Structures are given as C-alpha cells and as structure tokens.
Amino acid sequence: MTTLGVVFRPQLPPERLRSVAKIADDSGLAELWLWEDCFCESGIASAAAALAWTERVTVGVGLLPVPLRNVAMTAMEAATLYRLFPDRVTLAVGHGVQRWMGQTGARVDSPVTLLREYLVALRALLRGERVTTNGRYVTLDDVALEWPPSYVPQILSGATGPHTLRLSGEAADGSVLDSINPPDGVRQAIKLIDEGRARGGRTDRHRIVVYLYAATGDGAQDRLRAMLAGRGENTDLGVAGDARAIAAAVRELADAGADTVVLVPTPDEPDIEGLVRLAAEEVQPLVVTTVSSSGVDHAASG
C-alpha cells in the first residue's frame, strides 16, 4: 500500500505551519513531512506543534542531522513524541548537509561511521534498553530512558550514495530517498539497501520513502525547471501539472518500490495550502494503493 505526503518546507515562516497542518488533517492527507534544514526551523519543535494542532495526520521529520544532535537528546525527544502521539510520528536521521555541519563546527571525518553508531544507539534506547557504548563518535555510559516509547518505533535513515544506502538497509528500519531519484534510481537504491539488509541479517519490513518534486497551477513547469536548473539538477526530474499528472508520477515511484511518496513543492510555491488540498482530495484518490509485485516482494522480505 502506497501512502502520499506533502512537505512543509522550513523556508516558509513557522507561523504558516498551523494552517497547513490543519488543512492536511481536515482534507484527509495521509502524511505531512517537515525538514530540519539549517538554519531554518527545528524538526522536533515543528513536529510537536503540528501533532498538537491535528487529530489524525501522520507527521514525519526527514531528517534530523545527527552531527548536530546528541543521540541521548534525540532519543528523549523522540520518545516524548511517540508517547504523546502514538502511531502518528515518523522520524528519520541522516548525515545532514556537510557544508552546514561545517558551519556549526559539527562536521565529522567519517559521516558513515557516525550514522552507524548513532542508529545502533538510538534504536536501542528507543527499545527501552540500557546502553553503554564507547564508539568513535557516540559515547554513552549506562544510559536508559525513563519514559521509553510504549511500542518499538521505526527509525528511518536518509540515504544517498552506495555506502549509506547499504548502511540504511543494515541498521535502519526504513530509508528516505531524495528527489533526485527517478523510478530507475529508486530501483537501484533498493538493490543497495537490500544488500545491506542481507549483510545485517534483516528480515523485518524496510519502509521506502521517496521525495518527488511537484508543482501545479499557473507557471508550474517554469517554476519546477527554474528550481532544478538553479540547483544544477536534471531538469527532467519531478512533475508539473494537474492531479492526474502528479498521480501518474506517484504511481511510477510506487511501482519502483516506494511505500510512501512525499510531494516537495518548489521554494516559490504560491499556494502551499492549495497544494496540500490538491494532494489529499484529488491526487490521493487517483493513486493506486497496491504496489507492483516487485514492491510487494520487497516489503514482504523486508
């Protein structure tokens, strides 16, 4: 089953979040996603507010940059959200943008080593375990949460590049793939993730979340191409058009193995509330909720 989400970009003022979250909740959107981009808005603080303002929509944070965050603090914040809003929270962690990490003095020599240590410690803490570890980057001395989650949550990892994709398969419960991945890129990413899962002996379900650039309304194609060109990315990425065009692009990613497709508006999206309504009321009903046989097989084996 493939679910649909929309990103509230942190470049928007925080005071816009409430109206967007309420519209997502009221219109029936499955998931609202947030980013913790430096130096915009806190992912955890924004998620807590959005969850408090809503009743049913799942709120995802993709992703929390691990160099900026002590793993014990992330575990405490995550456990609080999981207990306050059971089954409505999805959290992903990742390397963060290395330039931003350098600006904060948090950049490390081996991001993959840090992420591995972080994922192992974070997942153990959220399982309610008492953790002592002395890694290259992550050090804990007899740490356990007083209020661990009442269930064992999934922790996702942002993943780009072969090493991180394999690590995500081995050490995380799901992977978040960025918007540079067309359907063939998603298939290749899943192969690398499955290599990591085999290496780690993982047989549980591994969730695949894929971002998709999306624009609609007047000037949609121009806005999308201008954004991609400005970032030096392939201008054929993403989708611009009406609900049917967006749904077709979502189905292609679902057929490639995506469990969740999250629409990413352009930075100059003139009507984020309208995009959320469109996604919920027009795109979501058009999305086929059964994935292809390759997607089902992947979900069943992991």
Side-chain angles (χ1 to χ4, degrees):
M1 181 172 179
T2 301
T3 56
L4 187 67
V6 177
V7 171
F8 176 87
R9 298 182 69 117
Q11 290 76 21
L12 291 168
E15 54 268 26
R16 292 280 302 278
L17 177 58
R18 182 169 187 163
S19 67
V20 173
K22 291 289 288 181
I23 289 169
D25 204 45
D26 294 343
S27 63
L29 185 69
E31 302 188 9
L32 177 68
W33 280 71
L34 308 167
W35 291 348
E36 191 167 77
D37 280 2
C38 295
F39 300 93
C40 296
E41 295 159 22
S42 160
I44 294 293
S46 298
L51 288 159
W53 289 326
T54 56
E55 297 292 336
R56 46 147 300 277
V57 67
T58 292
V59 175
V61 181
L63 49 80
L64 301 170
V66 301
L68 281 177
R69 294 178 148 272
N70 182 280
V71 69
M73 180 59 72
T74 297
M76 291 163 59
E77 292 181 323
T80 300
L81 289 182
Y82 292 131
R83 290 186 73 102
L84 288 173
F85 306 100
D87 301 319
R88 290 184 55 209
V89 183
T90 299
L91 297 180
V93 298
H95 299 311
V97 176
Q98 294 304 292
R99 175 173 58 84
W100 293 340
M101 300 303 100
Q103 285 180 269
T104 64
R107 187 168 182 168
V108 298
D109 291 334
S110 179
V112 173
T113 300
L114 169 57
L115 185 58
R116 177 185 296 279
E117 293 178 358
Y118 203 100
L119 282 166
V120 170
L122 179 61
R123 293 178 67 238
L125 288 169
L126 292 174
R127 288 194 299 268
E129 298 176 12
R130 186 169 296 277
V131 181
T132 295
T133 184
N134 187 20
R136 181 174 177 183
Y137 299 110
V138 175
T139 300
L140 297 171
D141 181 11
D142 195 33
V143 175
L145 297 175
E146 291 290 337
W147 296 103
S150 56
Y151 61 99
V152 178
Q154 287 189 327
I155 294 295
L156 280 57
S157 173
T160 58
H163 293 301
T164 306
L165 287 163
R166 292 188 184 98
L167 171 60
S168 186
E170 180 181 355
D173 304 304
S175 300
V176 179
L177 308 181
D178 65 21
S179 305
I180 64 171
N181 287 283
D184 285 345
V186 171
R187 292 185 181 94
Q188 181 58 37
I190 289 174
K191 288 181 181 178
L192 294 168
I193 289 166
D194 284 344
E195 288 177 13
R197 288 174 55 72
R199 183 172 63 189
R202 300 289 296 267
T203 59
D204 52 337
R205 184 178 182 276
H206 190 93
R207 182 181 176 191
I208 303 295
V209 177
V210 182
Y211 289 135
L212 172 65
Y213 292 130
T216 191
D218 294 341
Q221 188 67 63
D222 291 340
R223 284 189 285 111
L224 180 62
R225 286 182 175 172
M227 179 195 70
L228 293 169
R231 296 182 178 183
E233 296 179 2
N234 182 352
T235 55
D236 291 331
L237 291 171
V239 57
D242 60 10
R244 290 188 178 279
I246 296 173
V250 170
R251 286 196 298 268
E252 288 182 0
L253 292 172
D255 288 342
D259 298 303
T260 300
V261 177
V262 183
L263 306 183
V264 181
T266 60
D268 57 350
E269 167 60 52
D271 184 11
I272 182 64
E273 290 87 355
L275 179 62
V276 168
R277 284 195 190 92
L278 179 82
E281 297 174 359
E282 298 184 46
V283 178
Q284 201 163 244
L286 295 173
V287 174
V288 177
T289 56
T290 54
V291 297
S292 67
S293 59
S294 61
V296 171
D297 289 342
H298 175 78
S301 65

